[in-house]
Each structure stands twice: as C-alpha cells, then as structure tokens.
C-alpha cells in the first residue's frame, strides 16, 4: 500500500516537473503565466519566480502587470531574499500606489529591512534603515492592520541600538578606560531615557566614575570624587531597592573617606 502511494507521488512529481520544464522552454507567455500562477498558489516560490522573471517584461503596461509585479516581489520575500524583495516591493508601491496590495507591499518591504537587521554586536546601518522604513509605513498607514506588528518590530530594533550603545560603554569600563565609559553612558542615558537598561547604565556609570576618582591625580581628585558621589545619589534616588545598592553604598563610603582625607590634608 505504502509503495503504491510513493509511486503515485513520484509520478505526480515527475508530471509536475515535466509541465514546469515545458512552460519554462515555451515561447507562449500565456502558458508561462498560467504555470507561474499555479506554482505561486502552490507556494512553489522558486519555480514561479523563474517563470515570472521571463514573462514580467513582456507584460509591462498591460492589465496583468500589477498582479505579476506583486507576485514577483512576494516570491523573493517568501524565499527569504529580503534585499531583493524590499527593492521590488518598493518599485511596486511606486508604480501602483492605488493598488489594493499597496499597503501589504509597503509593510513587507519594511519588514524585509527588519529581517536584514544584524545582531546588535555588528554594524547597525541596516537596523537604522529598518526603523526608518517601518516608521515611514506607520506614518503612511496609521490605521493599518499591520500597525501593531510594525510597532513591535520598531521596539525590537530600537532595543538593538540600545544594547549596542550599552555594550560599547560597558566595554570601555571593562578595559578600564573609565573616562570613555562615563562619557558613553552619559550619551546612552540621553539617547535612551526610557531604556530597560537604565538601572545598569547608572550602575556602570557610577562604577566608572568611582574608579576614575579613586585613581585620579591629586589636582582632579576632589572634583571627580564629588561627581562620583552625585552619580551615587542619582542612582539611589532612581533605584532605592536596587540589587546593586549594597555594593554602591560601599563605593560611596570609600568616596566619603577619600574626601575626608583631602580635607584633612588641606
């Protein structure tokens, strides 16, 4: 029984492949159109696209062109070729701005940019582009059915930029470039005031300024000690129940001790 089913499936597959090869070599664009449409509906994206590549130029300016142009872009999208898909979806919305598929095409174009966004540790040029494209979509279609998803994607991409900036500042702290770390964390706190990483950013900023003050030359020490104490006050005010409270309080006690030593010497 199973052998019979396998033979039947193999036969269907061979016939299907034979029909595709026939359409691929045919000079009849109507036959290619029909086969491309059937393959598209069957989600055979690669094969459908091969036929669409052949016939799309021949339908330019014709009524069928709108459908074919969308199908062509969507095949690339479904195949995971997001750079190409976004490019063709953008062309589609430029040529057919009034199409009933324009909104969907605009969203898939923006989402293609989202898919091309790399992990946070890499260069984030594509991430910035994706945020811009998604924001443009939201502005253009404020009542879109895709609005909630678009906003979710933007938040995810925003966090990638936050994480990137945070890790750069933290890395300066780890390599003991405390001055650069303080500056980077200050920029982070200005750029991402509502970040979920804010508590840790304040903690590491204090850690960097604390070390900068303790290790400072005499002429800069008092100023840096006081600045570190201000960072401690800001941290405790923002997060009075922080898991880092005991550690940061120890730092503050050390800062007080160092300031008293300076006063005694004076």
């Amino acid at each position: 029984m199973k052998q019979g089913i396998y033979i039947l499936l193999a036969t269907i597959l061979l016939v299907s492949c034979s029909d595709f090869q026939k359409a691929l070599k045919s000079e009849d664009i109507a036959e290619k159109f029909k086969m491309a449409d059937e393959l598209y509906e069957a989600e055979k994206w690669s094969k459908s696209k091969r036929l669409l590549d052949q016939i799309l130029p021949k339908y330019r300016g014709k009524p069928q062109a709108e459908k074919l142009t969308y199908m062509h872009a969507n095949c690339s999208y479904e195949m995971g070729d997001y750079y190409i898909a976004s490019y063709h979806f953008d062309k589609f919305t430029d040529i057919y701005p009034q199409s009933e598929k324009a909104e969907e095409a605009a969203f898939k174009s923006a989402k293609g940019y989202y898919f091309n966004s790399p992990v946070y540790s890499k260069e984030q040029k594509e991430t910035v582009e994706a945020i811009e494209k998604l924001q443009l979509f939201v502005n253009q279609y404020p009542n879109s059915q895709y609005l909630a998803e678009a906003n979710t994607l933007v938040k995810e991409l925003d966090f990638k930029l936050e994480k990137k900036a945070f890790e750069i500042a933290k890395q300066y702290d780890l390599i003991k470039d405390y001055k650069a770390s303080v500056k980077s964390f200050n920029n982070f706190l200005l750029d991402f005031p509502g970040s979920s990483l804010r508590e840790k950013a304040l903690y590491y900023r204090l850690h960097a300024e604390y070390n900068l003050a303790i290790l400072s030359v005499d002429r800069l020490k008092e100023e840096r000690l006081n600045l570190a104490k201000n960072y401690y006050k800001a941290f405790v005010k923002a997060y009075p129940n922080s898991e880092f409270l005991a550690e940061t309080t120890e730092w503050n006690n050390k800062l007080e001790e160092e300031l008293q030593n300076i006063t005694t010497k004076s």
Side-chain angles (χ1 to χ4, degrees), residues 197-256:
L197 297 171
R198 187 169 181 268
E199 180 181 355
K200 288 185 177 179
L202 289 172
Y203 166 80
Y204 280 109
R205 182 183 70 167
L206 171 57
H207 180 261
E209 188 60 45
Y210 166 80
N211 282 291
L212 192 61
I214 295 298
L215 301 171
S216 182
V217 296
D218 289 344
R219 64 186 179 84
L220 298 174
K221 194 160 192 174
E222 184 174 5
E223 179 184 352
R224 287 176 173 172
L225 287 168
N226 282 315
L227 181 55
K229 280 184 63 62
N230 287 336
Y231 284 167
Y232 169 75
K233 290 175 184 177
F235 177 79
V236 172
K237 182 178 180 180
Y239 301 100
N241 300 312
S242 172
E243 63 178 300
F244 306 117
L245 189 59
E247 186 179 11
T248 55
T249 299
E250 285 184 16
W251 297 344
N252 186 59
N253 292 338
K254 179 65 175 177
L255 294 170
E256 288 281 9

Side-chain angles (χ1 to χ4, degrees), residues 169 178-188 205 209 231:
Y178 298 122
K179 191 173 182 180
S181 182
V182 170
K183 181 178 180 181
S184 295
F185 275 120
N186 278 331
N187 289 336
F188 174 87
R205 182 183 70 167
E209 188 60 45
Y231 284 167

